[in-house]
Amino acid sequence: MKDFSQSFNGILAETYHNALLMEETKRKYSNGGFSFRDRNAVSFLTRYPDGIKISDVADYLKISRPSTTTLIKKLEKYGLVEKIAQPRNDRNTLVRLTRKGRLFSTYQRRYRERMASKISDGLSDDEMRVLYEGFCKLNQLFIDSINESEEIHGKGRRK
């Protein structure tokens, strides 16, 4: 079991390292230089076709309101989002994806689907189930770590 732990730790570290390198490479060679956070914001906005408050985007991304405003301005500059003023309350501007933003989101979703397909090709149903369960545990580990850090620093909890 010790050998597995060491090997698994090594592949986790290497995978994390390569994910960061992939992020840097994509930003370097793409026109927009979109970060994971930018793409996550676009993906999140697909859930709200009528728009959502910028503060809700900030809460989801776990970043400050000013940082979210900067991110939204960047996405707006590239034509991916638009701001919608609320008729009853000027302070609650909504943001939603434009047609170009929805196309961008579709492209990102298809990219992730191709990646998942490449990973799962050739795996048995049992192997796919184990892989999925392992990723669920990894995801929960990340969520627990975030919540633990936020409890220590007195921030809100992620669900």
Side-chain angles (χ1 to χ4, degrees):
M1 191 54 110
K2 185 178 180 181
D3 288 338
F4 174 79
S5 292
Q6 287 177 333
S7 296
F8 193 65
N9 179 47
I11 194 64
L12 278 176
E14 188 175 338
T15 300
Y16 184 71
H17 171 75
N18 286 327
L20 292 174
L21 286 177
M22 181 184 74
E23 165 77 358
E24 291 173 11
T25 303
K26 283 181 105 31
R27 287 184 80 181
K28 184 177 177 181
Y29 296 111
S30 69
N31 290 335
F34 298 111
S35 68
F36 278 137
R37 182 171 283 150
D38 298 336
R39 292 189 299 271
N40 285 341
V42 169
S43 179
F44 178 67
L45 289 170
T46 61
R47 302 178 198 173
Y48 303 94
D50 295 328
I52 188 171
K53 293 186 293 186
I54 293 173
S55 61
D56 292 332
V57 177
D59 291 343
Y60 174 77
L61 295 174
K62 300 248 179 247
I63 59 175
S64 70
R65 305 299 192 270
S67 293
T68 305
T69 299
T70 300
L71 182 150
I72 295 299
K73 285 180 181 177
K74 175 183 177 181
L75 296 177
E76 191 176 33
K77 173 183 163 190
Y78 286 99
L80 301 179
V81 301
E82 62 185 348
K83 292 179 186 171
I84 310 159
Q86 292 289 71
R88 294 181 300 261
N89 185 349
D90 291 336
R91 297 182 73 210
N92 278 336
T93 301
L94 299 181
V95 63
R96 71 177 174 199
L97 293 177
T98 61
R99 182 177 188 287
K100 185 176 178 181
R102 290 188 302 275
L103 288 171
F104 180 83
S105 177
T106 299
Y107 170 79
Q108 291 299 313
R109 181 180 45 79
R110 288 183 180 157
Y111 175 79
R112 289 188 307 271
E113 288 170 353
R114 283 191 310 273
M115 200 171 13
S117 180
K118 285 180 182 181
I119 291 169
S120 64
D121 278 353
L123 296 180
S124 69
D125 288 345
D126 284 342
E127 289 170 324
M128 283 189 273
R129 182 187 49 77
V130 169
L131 179 64
Y132 179 80
E133 289 172 1
F135 268 86
C136 288
K137 286 182 179 185
L138 180 62
N139 189 51
Q140 189 60 52
L141 178 84
F142 289 151
I143 291 169
D144 292 346
S145 179
I146 292 165
N147 288 338
E148 182 180 302
S149 295
E150 289 180 343
E151 285 176 6
I152 291 169
H153 297 4
K155 307 279 183 188
R157 292 189 62 129
R158 184 172 184 193
K159 296 176 180 148

